[in-house]
Amino acid sequence: MSHNHAKNLVSPDQAKQKLVDGNHRFVNENYGAKDLSSNRRMTLLKEGQFPFAAVLTCSDSRVPPEILFDQALGDIFVIRTAGNVLDDVSMGSVEYAVDHLHTPLVVVLGHENCGAVIATVEGGDPPGSIGAITAMIAPSVQKVQSMGIAGKELCEMAADVNVGATLSDLRTSPVIKEKIDKGEVALVGAKYLLSSGEVVFFE
Ligand SMILES: [Zn+2]
C-alpha cells in the first residue's frame, strides 16, 4: 500500500474518476455546487492546497480545465502553455505538484482544433518567440506526415502524438519517475473535444 499525504487521500485511479465524473457533469450541464466562499478561501489559505490532479494543457481560451472538469478552488493544479508544450519551467511546475503537493495524477490534455498545432503544420517563420512553441510540436507533426497523412487529420493526429511525446518527456523526470515507480502517481493523456465538450482519456 502506497503512502499518501494526509490531506491527499485519493489514489491516482480515484483522482481520474473525479475528473471523468466532473466532465460528465459539464457535458450534461449539470454542474456541482462549488464553495467559492471566503470561508473556503481562508481554509485553503490556512491549511494549504492539496490538488488531486495536475493538468498540463493548452492556453486556448476554450479549454479551461476547472470548468470542463467542473472543479472548484484548490482542486486542480493547472499548467498552461500554447500547444501544451513542456519546457523546463512547465516541467518544474509539474514536479512541484507531484513532489511538494503530493498530487496523485498528472494529465496532459490536448484538444481538437489546436491553433498551435495548426500553426506548426502551416509552417513558415512565425514572429517573435512563437517559433519556440512550433519547434517543440514539429517532431510530432513530422511523425504523422511521414505516415502520408495530411489536412485536418494530420492536425488532429499530430495533437495526439504531441500529448504522447509530452508524457514521455515527463517520465524522464527523476522526481516524477520515482513517484510513478512507488505507485503514488499516474500520468495520463487526454483530448478535449470542443464540439461535444467531452474529455477522452487515452488509457
Ligand atoms: Zn491549443
Side-chain angles (χ1 to χ4, degrees):
M1 195 59 200
S2 65
H3 171 77
N4 281 302
H5 191 275
K7 289 281 170 57
N8 228 336
L9 293 169
V10 296
S11 68
D13 283 350
Q14 287 167 329
K16 186 183 160 195
Q17 193 59 48
K18 281 163 77 84
L19 294 181
V20 167
D21 292 345
N23 180 243
H24 284 163
R25 292 194 300 272
F26 171 71
V27 168
N28 295 321
E29 299 178 26
N30 177 29
Y31 309 101
K34 285 172 206 68
D35 187 355
L36 304 175
S37 69
S38 56
N39 269 348
R40 176 66 180 147
R41 293 203 312 273
M42 289 312 292
T43 303
L44 284 167
L45 176 60
K46 279 185 212 141
E47 297 183 4
Q49 58 166 332
F50 303 95
F52 69 83
V55 178
L56 170 62
T57 191
C58 185
S59 302
D60 192 305
S61 61
R62 298 166 295 182
V63 191
E66 291 89 346
I67 294 176
L68 56 93
F69 288 120
D70 191 35
Q71 299 300 322
L73 296 173
D75 285 339
I76 52 180
F77 187 93
V78 177
I79 304 106
R80 296 179 75 170
T81 58
N84 38 271
V85 295
L86 186 73
D87 61 6
D88 284 350
V89 175
S90 47
M91 172 72 96
S93 302
V94 175
E95 288 175 341
Y96 178 80
V98 162
D99 193 55
H100 285 247
L101 306 177
H102 306 275
T103 302
L105 181 70
V106 177
V107 181
V108 179
L109 180 66
H111 70 99
E112 203 176 16
N113 255 67
C114 183
V117 175
I118 293 165
T120 308
V121 168
E122 286 171 350
D125 191 16
S129 296
I130 297 173
I133 300 163
T134 54
M136 294 185 77
I137 301 172
S140 298
V141 169
Q142 284 154 10
K143 197 170 172 182
V144 179
Q145 273 172 332
S146 73
M147 296 158 68
I149 293 163
K152 164 96 174 143
E153 198 186 354
L154 166 60
C155 293
E156 293 310 320
M157 278 186 71
D160 300 348
V161 170
N162 181 46
V163 166
T166 301
L167 287 168
S168 299
D169 289 344
L170 285 169
R171 289 193 183 96
T172 66
S173 155
V175 175
I176 297 169
K177 189 183 178 301
E178 189 196 335
K179 298 279 186 179
I180 293 172
D181 291 346
K182 285 183 187 166
E184 292 175 8
V185 166
L187 260 53
V188 64
K191 185 173 202 172
Y192 175 60
L193 306 179
L194 294 174
S195 44
S196 66
E198 279 174 288
V199 173
V200 179
F201 284 89
F202 293 165
E203 56 205 78

